[in-house]
Amino acid sequence: MGTGFLADCPARLAVEVLADKWAAVTLFALNESPRRHGELAAAIGGVSRKVLTHTLRRLEEYGLVERRSPTAGHAEYALTELGRTLVEPIETLNDWSATYGPAVSDFHDRA
C-alpha cells in the first residue's frame, strides 16, 4: 500500500463523489445518452426531482456532468469525458453487488 497515510488515500475522492445515494445511478443513467431532467428521473426511478437536481449540480461541480441547452428552454444533462471514466468502475461495483449482495444482506439480517 505504500508508506503514505491512509488519510491521503486517492480512493477517498472516488468514495466522496459516489457516496451520494443517487450519484452512481445518475452517472450510469447518463451513460446511454444525454437526457432531460424528467427523462432522467423516470429512468432512475424513486428519486425526487429536488434530490435529482441536487445530485446533478454536485456532479457538475466535480466536472462529471454538464448541463446543455440544445434547444431554447430545454436543458439536458450529459456525461463529460471525465464523467465517462467512472462508468467502468460503476459497472464493476454493480457486478460485485450482484455477486456478493445476497451474502452481505444475509450477514446484515443476522446481525
Side-chain angles (χ1 to χ4, degrees):
M1 175 104 175
T3 59
F5 294 105
L6 289 177
D8 296 333
C9 177
R12 287 182 66 187
L13 175 61
V15 171
E16 180 181 324
V17 170
L18 296 176
D20 179 286
K21 177 179 180 177
W22 299 103
V25 72
T26 300
L27 290 167
F28 200 71
L30 288 172
N31 182 47
E32 295 177 9
S33 65
R35 296 180 192 240
R36 289 178 163 160
H37 194 278
E39 295 170 333
L40 193 53
I44 293 171
V47 63
S48 73
R49 293 176 79 81
K50 179 180 177 182
V51 170
L52 180 58
T53 297
H54 173 77
T55 300
L56 287 164
R57 286 183 181 153
R58 193 167 163 266
L59 293 171
E60 282 181 275
E61 290 172 3
Y62 282 114
L64 303 172
V65 169
E66 64 182 351
R67 185 177 188 267
R68 304 176 183 167
S69 297
T71 59
H74 295 288
E76 66 181 18
Y77 296 88
L79 291 180
T80 63
E81 287 303 312
L82 185 59
R84 289 191 188 292
T85 65
L86 278 173
V87 172
E88 186 177 342
I90 291 169
E91 286 175 333
T92 300
L93 287 171
N94 188 53
D95 292 344
W96 182 90
S97 295
T99 302
Y100 299 105
V104 171
S105 293
D106 289 346
F107 186 84
H108 184 263
D109 290 344
R110 286 183 280 150

